[in-house]
Amino acid sequence: MKVFVNRTLSEHGIKIMEDAGIEVVQWGEKRDLSSEELIRHCRDCNGLLSAGPNKIDRVFLNACAHLKVIALHSVGFDHVDVAEATRLNIPVGNTPGVLSGATADTAFLLMLAASRKAFFHHKRILNSQWGFFDPMADLGIELTGKTLGIFGLGKIGFEMAKRCAGAYDMPVIYHNRSRNEEAEARFNARRVSFNELLEQSDVLSAHAVFTPETRGRFDKDAFAKMKRTAIFINTARGGMHVEQDLIEALQKGLIWGAGLDVTNPEPMAHDNPLLQIPNVAVLPHIGSATSETRSAMTRMAAENIIAGLRGEPLPYPVNPEVGRV
Ligand code: DGY
């Protein structure tokens, strides 16, 4: 059995597959494969372990319908045509749970960085602008007792709520399709409508799954309903906010600040106006980028590969309805 891996991943994860007798071919170049190249590399493989943005779309799936398993090195699967994979009877797996803490840390970091204009102040030092002390210039805002609003309170949102409630006694409100009883019991979290979330949050952090329903959810109208003192955080997917509307909302003072680990498009252009706004902190999609988390993700992906190649149900399935037993 042979597996194609479209990135260089942790040796430990690769070894798990090799120890199971799988031949592993890794893409070593520091550039994305084109769709055609990915198809070509998968032609003589039985499985694909895919990290990063390569689209697993209808064209790819039909060209590689022979694959016994596709293991994603991510929890998100918005870049995969899951319905088509299911139709073709290809099991797809992901890496849920293990990156919740690291991603919530990133949201928390962005909240703090935006609230204290940290990246802006860092840039001042780099630009030799750490000079005259002006006690009233470029002040931040404090977070204690401010209301945290969570859009999509699942595992990552729960970890964000834990950090904010623990560090700053932040009351938690959330907007979900269904209730999160654990968060209600643990943080006294209150489920609200989307409009109430917009109107009442001091920090609004997006953690929802990216779907047609959540695409562009934070647009001009949404930002206009938020508090002028609010901070918007997005560590989910860049497509959940309309970037031009966010820029305008910040420039017009409709909201106070923003922290983004995800942008639209990615990578963000180096001259994007968001990078010049003092109350904005942007990171290059590093939510899960710790050694511990990335290594756990590789292990889970390897376990999905092994199960799929053996025709067993995947331990972390996206489309469990695909029966291969
Ligand atoms: C995920 O796991 O979905 C992260 O955002 C990495 O893409």
Side-chain angles (χ1 to χ4, degrees):
M1 291 286 183
K2 188 167 159 188
V3 164
F4 183 66
V5 185
N6 69 347
R7 281 287 189 281
T8 302
L9 296 176
S10 84
E11 273 176 33
H12 137 88
I14 301 301
K15 190 164 177 309
I16 292 175
M17 292 186 281
E18 288 174 342
D19 286 350
I22 298 165
E23 183 188 346
V24 179
V25 179
Q26 283 195 90
W27 175 247
E29 289 184 34
K30 301 264 182 239
R31 67 170 179 88
D32 286 324
L33 288 150
S34 69
S35 310
E36 295 73 29
E37 285 173 320
L38 186 64
I39 290 172
R40 213 169 44 242
H41 283 282
C42 287
R43 279 247 157 83
D44 65 340
C45 286
N46 310 97
L48 166 66
L49 198 167
S50 179
N54 267 123
K55 287 232 172 309
I56 313 291
D57 56 12
R58 186 175 290 261
V59 174
F60 172 82
L61 289 164
N62 281 281
C64 295
H66 62 280
L67 291 177
K68 287 178 171 302
V69 58
I70 296 175
L72 306 174
H73 193 264
S74 63
V75 66
F77 47 86
D78 46 287
H79 56 306
V80 180
D81 188 338
V82 177
E84 188 65 1
T86 305
R87 193 186 71 74
L88 294 166
N89 217 27
I90 304 174
V92 178
N94 67 344
T95 62
V98 286
L99 45 71
S100 306
T103 307
D105 283 343
T106 305
F108 191 81
L109 162 69
L110 287 167
M111 174 181 75
L112 268 176
S115 75
R116 297 300 298 270
K117 309 189 185 191
F119 292 10
F120 163 76
H121 287 299
H122 182 73
K123 237 186 295 169
R124 282 178 48 227
I125 303 174
L126 294 176
N127 295 335
S128 310
Q129 289 165 344
W130 185 0
F132 173 70
F133 167 62
D134 178 349
M136 294 314 290
D138 302 312
L139 302 181
I141 52 176
E142 294 187 16
L143 298 163
T144 300
K146 300 281 168 69
T147 297
L148 171 70
I150 298 207
F151 180 64
L153 207 172
K155 290 192 176 78
I156 301 173
F158 188 91
E159 290 297 322
M160 177 64 168
K162 193 200 287 178
R163 285 155 177 70
C164 293
Y168 296 115
D169 284 328
M170 294 172 78
V172 179
I173 58 176
Y174 71 101
H175 178 70
N176 266 21
R177 264 182 312 202
S178 50
R179 276 181 64 191
N180 187 320
E181 290 178 26
E182 196 185 347
E184 291 182 10
R186 178 95 180 255
F187 315 116
N188 211 11
R190 194 162 49 85
R191 185 162 162 233
V192 295
S193 69
F194 186 59
N195 274 343
E196 286 168 329
L197 187 84
L198 296 171
E199 288 160 8
Q200 295 175 21
S201 299
D202 293 305
V203 175
L204 201 168
S205 196
H207 297 285
V209 176
F210 189 49
T211 63
E213 214 187 337
T214 58
R215 178 186 295 278
R217 200 69 198 272
F218 294 91
D219 60 4
K220 198 160 57 190
D221 293 341
F223 293 126
K225 288 180 184 147
M226 287 174 65
K227 294 186 186 181
R228 290 188 158 249
T229 49
I231 297 175
F232 172 71
I233 307 290
N234 191 355
T235 52
R237 284 292 179 267
M240 229 173 266
H241 66 258
V242 179
E243 206 139 292
Q244 190 52 38
D245 291 357
L246 176 61
I247 293 168
E248 282 171 28
L250 287 158
Q251 287 172 338
K252 289 180 185 159
L254 297 183
I255 63 171
W256 190 84
L260 307 176
D261 185 45
V262 290
T263 61
N264 189 14
E266 289 181 10
M268 173 184 261
H270 75 279
D271 58 354
N272 187 303
L274 287 168
L275 297 171
Q276 300 308 327
I277 301 176
N279 317 351
V280 173
V282 184
L283 290 171
H285 202 147
I286 58 150
S288 62
T290 65
S291 314
E292 294 87 346
T293 294
R294 288 278 161 88
S295 165
M297 290 166 74
T298 309
R299 174 185 49 74
M300 290 168 86
E303 287 168 7
N304 275 334
I305 288 285
I306 293 167
L309 294 186
R310 289 182 179 155
E312 294 167 2
L314 306 195
Y316 317 105
V318 168
N319 54 353
E321 60 275 32
V322 173
R324 289 245 157 191
V325 192

